[in-house]
Structure formats: C-alpha cells, structure tokens
Amino acid sequence: MGVKRYIRLFRQAAVNRFALYAESRADLVTFIFGKLLRLGFFVILAVSLFNHTNTIVGYSEGQVLMLFAMMNMIDMLTQALWYRGMYNIKDWIRRGKFDMFLVQPVSPLFKTAAMQLDLFDFITLPVGIAYIIVAWTMLPTQPTLLMAISAAVLFLFSIVIAFSINLCMASVAFWTTENESAWALYRDSVYVARFPIEIFPNGFRAFFTFVIPVLAIVSFPAKTLMGLASPHVLLWGAIIAFAWLALGLTLWRAGLRHYTSASG
C-alpha cells in the first residue's frame, strides 16, 4: 500500500474521531478545558518550585521550565498520535476485535497506532508550543542556531524512543493482556522526567537514560537547548532511538506470529 493511501487513511481517521468528539459540545468543551487545565498545572508547579530558591541543583527557573515544556510537548504528541490505540490493543485482543485488523489491507501496526487519535492534544498544541517559546526566552543563555538544530534532531529521536517504548508495551499484549502496570509505570516515569536528572542517584539516572531511556526522552533535547548536553548526545540519541525501534518492531512481529498461530 502506498504512502499516499496511508495519509488518506490517517486524515479520514482524524475526521472520524473529531466527528465522534463533536457529537456533544459539552464534552468537547470539557475535554479541551481539562487539557488546558492540566497544562496550566504543570506551569504553576514549575514556577512554584522557585518561590523559595533561585536554582534547583544548578538549574535556573527558565531551564526547569524548559524541561517541563519539553516533557509536555513530547507527551502531547504521544497522546495525540498513537498512545490510545496502543494502550487499547489489549482490550481488542481480549474481545477478539484485533482479528479484524489482520484481514484488512492495512498494516496492523498502522491500524493500531493511528486509528484512535486524540484530537484534543492537537487542538492544544499551539499552547504547548507557546510554553516552549516562553521557556526559551527565560533561558540564562540563548541557544545558538546549531544548538537549536541539534535539539530539533534530538526531539525527533525522543519521539521515536517514546513510540518504540509504547510499541514494546503494546506487543506484550499478544502474550498477556494484564500489562496495565507497565503503562502506568511509563506514564509516571515520563512525568518524573520533567525534573532535572541530577536530582536522582547516579545508578538510577544511568539506567533510565541508557537502558530504559525515559529520562533521555526529555533531557536530551532540553539540555541541548540549554548548552548542558554531552558533546556525544546526538550519537547517543541516535543509538538509543534506533536500538529501541528495532526492539519494538521485533517484539511486534514476534507478537503477531504468536497471536496468529494461537488463534489459527
């Protein structure tokens, strides 16, 4: 199937989801308000941390705001694009609905990831971008063009890493649908990643940066904008992103084989 057809399917899925949400204006307004309230809470929390101090483990208010803003943007895109579909795969498998994905002329992975878009996160995306811009202006030293380009590349790597981790967790559902705790752990870990990683013990920091890289998702692009990243951060970002993508795709294919052999 060509790329253009997948783009059309993605667009149609977005239209269908919006039509579903728009059936009730009260629900639409409530959900959008909830998203904006959640974002506002993150801003207030970040600012409140500096009521009685000027720095946190050497990070200024603008730098901590950047960590919060980066976490929010990555989490927002994750929620908008694929999180709900991958999270719900366990229910589709449990109810036998996933069989329909296998007989359709569409990649089961695409069907799983893209068919349950969260359009409310797309609607609030401009607010998330504004959050990053405000944090940018508050940085002690303004990023150079090279730093900005490097951070943009690392942001894309972070999206790949987040997708790959979610893909691994979704793939586990082919063997057991009782993996709710793994999803909860991922969500909690991403929220923890909004804080400076230096507050954590060295072993914890290393494990959750290079092995299960939830801290890297936020810290790599954010610290690059701050000028605090390692000179090798782009190399590490690429290695972690492609290693986890390979792992995720391998688990997904193995899971599909297990599912079709068990159901067949």
Side-chain angles (χ1 to χ4, degrees):
M1 182 182 292
V3 174
K4 290 184 178 179
R5 186 175 179 187
Y6 276 111
I7 293 174
R8 287 196 301 270
L9 289 171
F10 184 86
R11 185 169 59 243
Q12 186 59 50
V15 171
N16 292 341
R17 293 291 290 179
F18 184 79
L20 178 64
Y21 289 145
E23 288 180 355
S24 171
R25 291 185 179 180
D27 289 345
L28 185 64
V29 172
T30 301
F31 278 124
I32 293 176
F33 177 75
K35 295 285 187 180
L36 294 176
L37 185 64
R38 173 175 172 269
L39 178 58
F41 173 77
F42 285 146
V43 175
I44 292 171
L45 176 59
V47 172
S48 298
L49 292 173
F50 289 87
N51 283 342
H52 305 288
T53 185
N54 294 323
T55 62
I56 296 177
V57 290
Y59 284 73
S60 69
E61 183 177 9
Q63 291 171 328
V64 171
L65 277 174
M66 180 58 74
L67 288 169
F68 273 66
M70 192 67 67
M71 181 280 297
N72 180 76
M73 180 59 68
I74 293 170
D75 185 58
M76 189 179 292
L77 289 174
T78 299
Q79 292 269 358
L81 292 172
W82 67 76
Y83 183 85
R84 295 189 186 279
M86 289 190 176
Y87 176 81
N88 286 327
I89 189 175
K90 63 185 187 304
D91 296 322
W92 298 333
I93 291 174
R94 190 182 296 123
R95 298 170 185 172
K97 292 184 178 181
F98 189 76
D99 291 353
M100 295 298 298
F101 290 17
L102 301 177
V103 299
Q104 296 175 355
V106 180
S107 163
L109 177 55
F110 176 83
K111 187 77 173 177
T112 299
M115 291 297 104
Q116 283 204 317
L117 305 175
D118 188 342
L119 297 183
F120 295 122
D121 276 309
F122 280 122
I123 293 172
T124 57
L125 194 60
V127 181
I129 294 173
Y131 189 3
I132 287 183
I133 292 173
V134 170
W136 183 307
T137 62
M138 294 177 63
L139 292 176
T141 303
Q142 289 300 291
T144 64
L145 178 60
L146 179 60
M147 290 162 62
I149 293 173
S150 298
V153 173
L154 286 163
F155 181 84
L156 293 177
F157 287 156
S158 294
I159 295 297
V160 172
I161 294 170
F163 173 82
S164 302
I165 293 174
N166 289 171
L167 181 58
C168 288
M169 294 189 297
S171 301
V172 170
F174 290 119
W175 287 276
T176 173
T177 56
E178 301 300 325
N179 62 341
E180 190 75 30
S181 58
W183 289 101
L185 179 61
Y186 169 78
R187 299 292 301 163
D188 292 342
S189 299
V190 170
Y191 291 148
V192 167
R194 65 181 180 255
F195 295 104
I197 64 174
E198 284 78 7
I199 69 175
F200 302 113
N202 290 337
F204 179 95
R205 189 164 68 222
F207 183 80
F208 285 101
T209 297
F210 298 105
V211 182
I212 301 178
V214 289
L215 296 182
I217 290 174
V218 176
S219 67
F220 278 9
K223 291 182 71 172
T224 297
L225 281 177
M226 302 173 198
L228 302 177
S230 161
H232 308 295
V233 67
L234 278 170
L235 177 61
W236 276 115
I239 291 172
I240 294 171
F242 288 110
W244 269 89
L245 182 60
L247 176 61
L249 291 174
T250 299
L251 280 177
W252 176 263
R253 292 171 184 141
L256 280 180
R257 289 194 298 269
H258 175 79
Y259 180 82
T260 53
S261 63
S263 59

